[in-house]
Amino acid sequence: MGLQSKMAWQPEENGLQQILQLLKESQSPDNATQRNVQQKLEELNKYPDFNNYLIFVLTKLKTEDDPTRSLSGLILKNNVRAHFEKFPSEVTTFIKQECLNNIGDPSPLIRATIGILVTTIVAKGELRNWQELLPSLCNSLDSDDYNVCEGAFGALQKICEDNAEDLDNDSTRPLNILIPKFLQFFKHNSPKIRSHAIACVNQFIISRTQALMVHIDSFIENLFFLAADEDTDVRKNVCRALVMLVEVRMDRLIPQINNIVEYMMCRTQDDDDSVALEACEFWLSLAEQPICKEVLGSHIDRLIPVLVKGMKYSEIDIILLKGDVEEDDMVPDKESDIKPRFHKSKSHTQKHTDGDADGELSDDGYDDDDSLSDWNLRKCSAAALDVLANVFRDDILPVLLPILKETLFHNSWEIKESGILVLGAIAEGCMTGMIPHLPELIPYLISCLGDKKALVRSITCWTLSRYAHWVVGQPHEQYLKPLMEELLKRVLDANKRVQEAACSAFATLEEEACTELVPYLGFILETLVFAFNKYQHKNLLILYDAIGTLADSVGHHLNKPEYVNMLMPPLIEKWNVLKDEDKDLFPLLECLSSVATALQSGFLPYCEPVYRRCVSLVEQTLNQNFANQTQPDQVDPPDKDFMIVALDLLSGLAEGLEHHIDSLVANSNILKLLYQCMQDPMPEVRQSSFALLGDLTKACFQHVRPCIGEFMPILAANLNPEFISVCNNATWSIGEISVKMGNDMQPYITMVISPLVDIINRPNTPKTLLENTAITIGRLGLVCPPEVAPMLQQFIRQWCSSLRNIRDNEEKDSAFRGVCQMINVNPGGVIQDFIFFCDAVASWSQPKADLKEMFYKILHGFKNQVGEENWTKFSDQFPQPLRERLAVQYGV
């Protein structure tokens, strides 16, 4: 293929035939042919004008069929994405020119392909180097030829979707021209064009783009004009716009809000499900607005039945969910059904349990039907009812109770099933008002767990889990025991969807019941272990979670030989079968981490191979990472989740086995690896590294001790509250290290104390981080009072406020001893905030005798120094309970 540059470029016949042959072959379903095609494409990419041939087939070769031409364009798009920078400039120019000249191709498929190609070039930063693009597309909008107008609009819509931010920041301010232009087309006679126009403008709502905000009223007016549009896509885009405007410009919607609510109620029942879904999002958006209750108050009685109606499975849903297949537990899962899971790294809180300081997203159960496209009208309606129940609370029960009575006991299983979903959706918002009805409803729901329809059994599992908190608070014989027995039967159901729902519901029940489950442990373990041999791939992953949650909930009660002998063999068997690169290791490692922490010494017989493999997983990940950084072309980057999960399991081992882990650490290079992990650019890796460092410090400090000089600067550098959980674990770790180091901590005080004092004084610091920071400051003061005490005045008030609410424990004890030591060194530092100190002292229910003695001396020392009369004036400011408590406990 030679490049003939002087005249207009023309393909050589031979080269063209080669490429057409290739395009035909690439449409073959055969894998070997596909691989062959990939290889040839790589070779052809070495020719500079290969991309000219591709654009030629797309735009000029009208003798070929549309799919072949389109495919040529898509291969070109991939080349642009991969190596546009290397295209010769004449090739780039040719491609751009061809795109613009053929934007109005008569074939919709070819127009769409050209649009994709254009937006891919723009995404490469070529808006600057393609000055004529936007003016040319803008002119094409005014063409009398429908194809030209539609092609240009299609391309503009893709550009707006992919590059909204660049368009807004572009120095030539293209949006000042484009947005008014788009608005003109809202009334165009072609529905496709109207739809493109709204879709383009919609890209700029959420970012509150200035060019749109100046035309906001005319935009809203045009939307109202389109409210009754016949076209589905137009209605969908109108709904989408209104949903976003609720978030961004509620002030502009208020004058028309009653009409909008009526319109959206009507659209939520649209014959077209995709329109109904877009409209239903409106209620979710509105519920987040403070004005929601006021706006919806007069409509809610009519809205609730609309939402309930949307919660029924449609016929298509039931077909897609194989709702008529009752037993499928022998059918293996398709790999494509298994969603990637996200590992939640370990986070140290006060009680040193797992639970992320960043707040957890509860799985509200509206996202469980994986085989459906993930989000649908049913889930959206249920989520909307849930959020509105949280806004209106029990005020909606007069509307809901009659609906529940009618649906829950209905003969048709689809209606009964939707009633059970309604009951679950309102559990959070209407709990208070539902309590009187629960003694009747819970036994009925437990009986529904035996329904003959699998979809009824599965939704019932979820709804019961939403009332687990109430169930656990009642006498066990009445509800908890029958619920547990029936749920465990469902864990072994013949239907996979029911197994999954039952396992998840059981995990929720475990979290609520905690040690209340101890009497039933044998029965529970028997079921869960039996499920190991019964489950297909996907549910096995959920079973690990149920077992891990059980271990977290009952703790050391799990450490009985008969329980250990039931539970460990199947877990270890899976552990031995899985290869190091198998992602199923994640949930298994998480599960083992909880089990090891719970079993403590009971895990000893299993710990060595588990420990070794974790260290090896960390090492393999680090090695692959190093190889990838040195030779990115040859080696893929590693999946760091393997390392994160392994570090967390090592933490679980250290926490459970304590000093028993000593010899394992002594015979491995874990501290060397930890030194690298602590410096990883990925925050989750650092978060888990600092958790492990703290646990190793508690379990076998003699091995950590020699590395402290290298570790402390890294810890200090991570006291950055931008990454809450990393900062939290680094802080906790420093506190544990200082307790072990004692006075030897002195050289490191300056590097850590200032950032810690900054954190404790920052507004909006999460509670867990505040508590950990206060404890660590107290512990530093305990081991090096002269170094920390001079700063007392900078932190004492916040320090006292953040620790007054936590229960008596070892960490609180060491921190308060530290503060007493510092007050003895620098009593002036506490004078101004002494009332806060008094309050913090009073928060102890039973301090150890010697700590109580320290409090006594400080309180009386202060009282003697200011004299009786001043002390009385001072203590008169105290709230009465505080005054009484100090008088009784400390005689002041």
Side-chain angles (χ1 to χ4, degrees):
M1 299 187 189
L3 188 65
Q4 307 143 354
S5 54
K6 294 287 171 254
M7 47 179 284
W9 183 87
Q10 285 297 321
E12 287 176 12
E13 193 48 42
N14 174 8
L16 192 56
Q17 287 315 317
Q18 245 182 317
I19 285 172
L20 287 173
Q21 177 60 31
L22 198 59
L23 291 169
K24 292 276 183 282
E25 282 173 16
S26 68
Q27 295 173 51
S28 140
D30 174 52
N31 283 342
T33 314
Q34 287 292 345
R35 274 197 297 278
N36 197 5
V37 167
Q38 279 318 103
Q39 210 174 338
K40 281 195 188 149
L41 283 175
E42 312 250 307
E43 282 166 28
L44 287 169
N45 262 317
K46 298 186 180 119
Y47 294 97
D49 62 353
F50 171 48
N51 293 303
N52 282 7
Y53 280 84
L54 292 173
I55 190 79
F56 183 86
V57 175
L58 173 67
T59 59
K60 293 255 201 301
L61 208 56
K62 315 234 161 144
T63 49
E64 287 300 319
D65 60 13
D66 291 352
T68 304
R69 292 172 57 200
S70 171
L71 188 61
S72 180
L74 294 175
I75 293 172
L76 176 54
K77 175 208 71 170
N78 291 336
N79 285 347
V80 168
R81 192 172 279 162
H83 18 245
F84 189 63
E85 301 72 32
K86 302 189 189 128
F87 284 20
S89 63
E90 58 273 31
V91 174
T92 307
T93 310
F94 183 61
I95 293 172
K96 289 178 177 175
Q97 177 189 327
E98 283 300 300
C99 283
L100 291 182
N101 293 344
N102 294 279
I103 201 80
D105 192 282
S107 152
L109 179 63
I110 302 300
R111 294 201 295 274
T113 310
I114 293 174
I116 292 172
L117 188 52
V118 169
T119 187
T120 310
I121 295 172
V122 172
K124 280 289 181 182
E126 286 290 300
L127 206 52
R128 292 182 307 285
N129 304 333
W130 196 355
Q131 292 298 334
E132 68 272 29
L133 171 67
L134 293 174
S136 165
L137 290 175
C138 225
N139 286 339
S140 302
L141 293 183
D142 296 324
S143 164
D144 294 335
D145 179 342
Y146 168 79
N147 292 336
V148 173
C149 175
E150 197 280 326
F153 239 135
L156 281 164
Q157 183 178 335
K158 294 184 182 87
I159 294 170
C160 292
E161 282 167 6
D162 299 340
N163 307 283
E165 211 174 311
D166 295 345
L167 287 169
D168 196 13
N169 297 333
D170 193 289
S171 54
T172 62
R173 315 305 305 151
L175 291 179
N176 291 350
I177 297 161
L178 287 175
I179 286 181
K181 185 91 182 164
F182 296 152
L183 291 173
Q184 291 168 14
F185 285 86
F186 275 36
K187 298 182 179 172
H188 193 277
N189 57 9
S190 150
K192 188 104 169 82
I193 303 286
R194 297 198 292 275
S195 179
H196 279 315
I198 315 170
C200 285
V201 180
N202 282 357
Q203 302 310 317
F204 304 99
I205 300 177
I206 291 295
S207 57
R208 300 181 166 79
T209 300
Q210 193 47 45
L212 173 58
M213 290 303 134
V214 293
H215 296 287
I216 197 78
D217 289 331
S218 110
F219 174 46
I220 292 173
E221 205 176 306
N222 276 310
L223 285 174
F224 288 159
F225 174 79
L226 292 174
D229 203 294
E230 303 283 285
D231 184 78
T232 314
D233 280 336
V234 172
R235 294 202 304 268
K236 208 186 301 183
N237 279 319
V238 169
C239 290
R240 200 171 285 169
L242 288 168
V243 170
M244 292 188 281
L245 286 167
V246 165
E247 223 176 293
V248 174
R249 292 308 301 261
M250 190 63 187
D251 57 320
R252 283 292 185 258
L253 299 183
I254 290 294
Q256 288 290 334
I257 197 68
N258 282 324
N259 294 338
I260 295 174
V261 168
E262 289 292 338
Y263 173 68
M264 284 308 218
M265 246 186 318
C266 184
R267 286 285 75 88
T268 303
Q269 305 171 73
D270 198 282
D271 293 336
D272 185 293
D273 267 3
S274 61
V275 177
L277 176 57
E278 287 295 342
C280 194
E281 298 275 355
F282 180 79
W283 315 115
L284 285 174
S285 259
L286 189 57
E288 287 174 11
Q289 301 300 318
I291 201 165
C292 173
K293 205 168 175 176
E294 188 185 323
V295 165
L296 276 185
S298 56
H299 304 273
I300 194 82
D301 296 3
R302 283 166 38 249
L303 173 60
I304 298 274
V306 171
L307 294 176
V308 171
K309 211 174 87 188
M311 287 162 76
K312 197 166 109 322
Y313 274 127
S314 69
E315 285 166 31
I316 295 173
D317 291 346
I318 295 168
I319 295 166
L320 286 173
L321 288 175
K322 307 190 176 64
D324 51 347
V325 178
E326 297 300 329
E327 299 191 5
D328 61 357
D329 59 337
M330 306 304 283
V331 184
D333 294 325
K334 292 206 295 287
E335 287 306 303
S336 58
D337 288 346
I338 295 166
K339 288 198 191 138
R341 358 177 7 277
F342 297 99
H343 169 71
K344 199 174 87 258
S345 311
K346 185 150 185 170
S347 186
H348 273 287
T349 57
Q350 206 27 69
K351 298 174 286 301
H352 183 48
T353 54
D354 269 15
D356 215 327
D358 304 341
E360 292 189 9
L361 272 172
S362 68
D363 173 20
D364 51 17
Y366 304 123
D367 195 14
D368 52 359
D369 308 334
D370 20 72
S371 44
L372 282 181
S373 63
D374 272 338
W375 189 237
N376 56 21
L377 182 59
R378 165 187 161 88
K379 290 175 195 173
C380 190
S381 304
L385 182 58
D386 183 351
V387 291
L388 291 172
N390 275 297
V391 171
F392 285 89
R393 300 277 163 194
D394 296 342
D395 299 351
I396 58 175
L397 286 178
V399 191
L400 266 169
L401 288 171
I403 292 177
L404 280 169
K405 277 205 175 63
E406 188 190 332
T407 51
L408 280 173
F409 307 103
H410 204 282
N411 291 333
S412 145
W413 75 264
E414 294 95 333
I415 293 181
K416 172 175 165 178
E417 193 276 346
S418 69
I420 298 172
L421 173 58
V422 169
L423 191 56
I426 61 169
E428 204 185 328
C430 305
M431 185 54 103
T432 323
M434 285 310 293
I435 285 176
H437 305 280
L438 292 181
E440 176 193 355
L441 285 173
I442 297 295
Y444 172 67
L445 286 172
I446 293 174
S447 76
C448 291
L449 285 174
D451 194 277
K452 62 180 197 302
K453 291 302 288 186
L455 289 172
V456 173
R457 300 197 296 277
S458 60
I459 197 65
T460 306
C461 291
W462 177 73
T463 292
L464 278 163
S465 75
R466 302 267 289 174
Y467 291 96
H469 182 73
W470 181 84
V471 168
V472 171
Q474 309 307 306
H476 288 191
E477 291 299 322
Q478 242 175 324
Y479 308 108
L480 179 64
K481 211 165 159 218
L483 171 59
M484 199 172 56
E485 287 170 4
E486 287 305 309
L487 256 186
L488 287 170
K489 283 185 200 158
R490 295 290 68 87
V491 167
L492 302 178
D493 198 276
N495 179 281
K496 291 193 287 192
R497 174 178 303 281
V498 179
Q499 295 171 358
E500 177 183 2
C503 246
S504 302
F506 198 74
T508 306
L509 189 63
E510 289 169 343
E511 284 173 348
E512 289 291 349
C514 290
T515 48
E516 311 265 351
L517 294 178
V518 172
Y520 314 107
L521 262 176
F523 178 50
I524 294 171
L525 283 170
E526 248 167 59
T527 306
L528 297 180
V529 168
F530 189 79
F532 254 114
N533 300 316
K534 185 177 170 74
Y535 276 14
Q536 299 296 341
H537 186 178
K538 179 179 168 206
N539 286 349
L540 209 50
L541 307 185
I542 297 163
L543 182 63
Y544 292 141
D545 182 54
I547 291 171
T549 308
L550 181 67
D552 293 336
S553 303
V554 299
H556 65 91
H557 297 286
L558 199 54
N559 190 10
K560 279 196 177 155
E562 66 267 31
Y563 298 158
V564 179
N565 294 334
M566 277 166 83
L567 183 57
M568 287 310 295
L571 285 173
I572 293 298
E573 187 196 346
K574 295 286 179 204
W575 168 265
N576 290 332
V577 175
L578 291 176
K579 298 199 167 41
D580 277 357
E581 54 280 357
D582 192 327
K583 290 199 159 102
D584 283 7
L585 273 177
F586 301 162
L588 178 56
L589 286 159
E590 282 174 45
C591 170
L592 279 170
S593 176
S594 297
V595 170
T597 308
L599 290 183
Q600 296 170 340
S601 60
F603 198 80
L604 270 174
Y606 308 95
C607 67
E608 188 173 352
V610 172
Y611 178 88
R612 284 238 178 93
R613 186 170 189 181
C614 285
V615 173
S616 146
L617 282 168
V618 173
E619 189 158 22
Q620 288 171 45
T621 311
L622 288 170
N623 289 344
Q624 190 183 337
N625 193 46
F626 180 71
N628 163 255
Q629 308 235 296
T630 39
Q631 306 167 294
D633 301 343
Q634 271 101 53
V635 186
D636 288 334
D639 181 343
K640 289 189 179 172
D641 274 353
F642 284 105
M643 173 156 79
I644 296 168
V645 185
L647 290 166
D648 287 348
L649 176 43
L650 288 168
S651 276
L653 288 176
E655 196 185 337
L657 298 173
E658 295 174 335
H659 63 90
H660 296 297
I661 202 171
D662 189 325
S663 61
L664 293 172
V665 174
N667 296 314
S668 70
N669 57 345
I670 186 63
L671 286 153
K672 222 162 100 190
L673 300 173
L674 200 51
Y675 178 65
Q676 290 174 267
C677 294
M678 287 163 52
Q679 300 177 76
D680 196 275
M682 187 174 175
E684 292 79 2
V685 175
R686 301 201 302 278
Q687 173 182 339
S688 293
S689 312
F690 297 140
L692 177 56
L693 177 60
D695 281 317
L696 290 175
T697 297
K698 290 175 82 165
C700 53
F701 188 61
Q702 69 277 25
H703 300 302
V704 178
R705 181 71 215 249
C707 315
I708 291 299
E710 290 179 293
F711 286 0
M712 281 314 294
I714 301 175
L715 283 162
N718 278 278
L719 296 175
N720 164 13
E722 187 191 340
F723 301 106
I724 298 292
S725 301
V726 178
C727 181
N728 190 50
N729 288 358
T731 304
W732 175 79
S733 217
I734 292 169
E736 292 299 338
I737 290 169
S738 59
V739 174
K740 298 281 187 182
M741 292 278 283
N743 198 31
D744 294 346
M745 196 66 184
Q746 208 177 332
Y748 309 110
I749 296 289
T750 25
M751 69 168 78
V752 297
I753 193 70
S754 303
L756 288 169
V757 171
D758 287 346
I759 292 168
I760 206 167
N761 284 305
R762 266 173 55 120
N764 305 328
T765 303
K767 189 165 132 315
T768 318
L769 181 54
L770 275 180
E771 290 166 2
N772 271 325
T773 305
I775 283 169
T776 295
I777 291 175
R779 289 175 152 188
L780 292 168
L782 176 67
V783 295
C784 302
E787 283 73 19
V788 187
M791 305 185 72
L792 203 50
Q793 195 176 342
Q794 293 174 41
F795 62 75
I796 189 68
R797 174 184 256 184
Q798 285 73 11
W799 190 93
C800 293
S801 311
S802 52
L803 288 188
R804 67 183 297 272
N805 294 323
I806 68 169
R807 291 200 289 277
D808 299 8
N809 65 21
E810 283 303 312
E811 299 186 333
K812 182 171 177 176
D813 179 276
S814 56
F816 270 84
R817 287 170 193 274
V819 154
C820 292
Q821 301 264 33
M822 291 188 273
I823 290 175
N824 292 334
V825 173
N826 175 18
V830 71
I831 297 285
Q832 289 176 326
D833 299 306
F834 199 68
I835 185 165
F836 288 90
F837 178 72
C838 296
D839 177 54
V841 165
S843 78
W844 278 87
S845 34
Q846 288 164 323
K848 292 183 182 159
D850 59 334
L851 180 61
K852 192 168 179 176
E853 178 66 18
M854 291 180 181
F855 292 157
Y856 182 90
K857 284 188 174 148
I858 291 175
L859 291 169
H860 281 271
F862 187 83
K863 182 176 172 177
N864 297 338
Q865 194 156 9
V866 299
E868 194 68 50
E869 188 183 339
N870 282 336
W871 174 261
T872 311
K873 263 191 216 155
F874 173 66
S875 62
D876 280 349
Q877 305 164 27
F878 292 0
Q880 191 169 355
L882 174 58
R883 199 163 52 235
E884 286 170 5
R885 199 170 166 99
L886 290 174
V888 172
Q889 290 214 340
Y890 300 96
V892 289

